[in-house]
Amino acid sequence: MKEEELVQWAVEARTNAYAPYSGFAVGAALLAEDGRVFTGCNVENAAFGLTMCAERVAVFKAVSEGVREFEAIAIACGKVPCPPCGACRQVLYEFAPDLLVIMADAEGKEVQKAKLGELLPRGFGPKSLRA
Ligand code: THU
């Protein structure tokens, strides 16, 4: 799948964001190794701390359907491309330390790319527990 297409999935997923408190809508699209795309949006809550980020919604949807191998994630939010939060980096690292992270603005026009290892260097993952 082309990177532009994955970004468009994220842009579309963002339209489902439930963000009445922050007003900051985020969409994510996670590309699995088998070619499937799992989307997510942020889901806020009146008890603010229960808010779930778009990226983790996408990961949990995939894993709950038996999919654990991923190539890339596209994230769409804001006026400029926004990076995933620290909690989402950690959750992504569990399954895909070499993941390509494609960060886009809300419309998918401006795009920045990084590998997850750059965003979370020396991350703690399953191997750390076995070392
Ligand atoms: N948010 C995400 O969905 N992903 C991130 O990586 C950063 C933050 C959401 C959480 C909250 O609903 C809103 O953006 C403002 O923090």
Side-chain angles (χ1 to χ4, degrees):
M1 170 176 296
K2 289 196 185 117
E3 290 173 9
E4 301 80 41
E5 200 182 333
L6 194 62
V7 168
Q8 281 313 307
W9 278 101
V11 169
E12 177 64 26
R14 183 177 171 273
T15 65
N16 289 324
Y18 176 71
Y21 307 110
S22 73
F24 192 77
V26 184
L30 182 63
L31 176 62
E33 294 281 2
D34 66 4
R36 292 169 69 185
V37 174
F38 294 87
T39 60
C41 62
N42 52 334
V43 182
E44 298 187 347
N45 192 278
F48 299 160
L50 299 183
T51 289
M52 183 54 64
C53 292
E55 299 92 321
R56 277 178 287 160
V57 170
V59 172
F60 296 152
K61 279 171 71 176
V63 174
S64 68
E65 293 192 24
V67 178
R68 297 180 184 172
E69 291 177 15
F70 308 109
E71 273 179 35
I73 188 168
I75 306 159
C77 54
K79 292 185 178 133
V80 294
C82 67
C85 79
C88 291
R89 293 177 198 202
Q90 178 66 30
V91 169
L92 290 165
Y93 192 86
E94 178 77 16
F95 298 100
D98 295 323
L99 193 72
L100 174 64
V101 181
I102 306 167
M103 298 159 277
D105 67 282
E107 295 181 339
K109 288 182 178 157
E110 194 184 335
V111 172
Q112 296 171 359
K113 290 188 274 185
K115 297 303 291 278
L116 185 58
E118 294 174 59
L119 300 176
L120 189 66
R122 301 180 69 176
F124 182 86
K127 284 183 184 161
S128 311
L129 287 175
R130 293 194 289 269

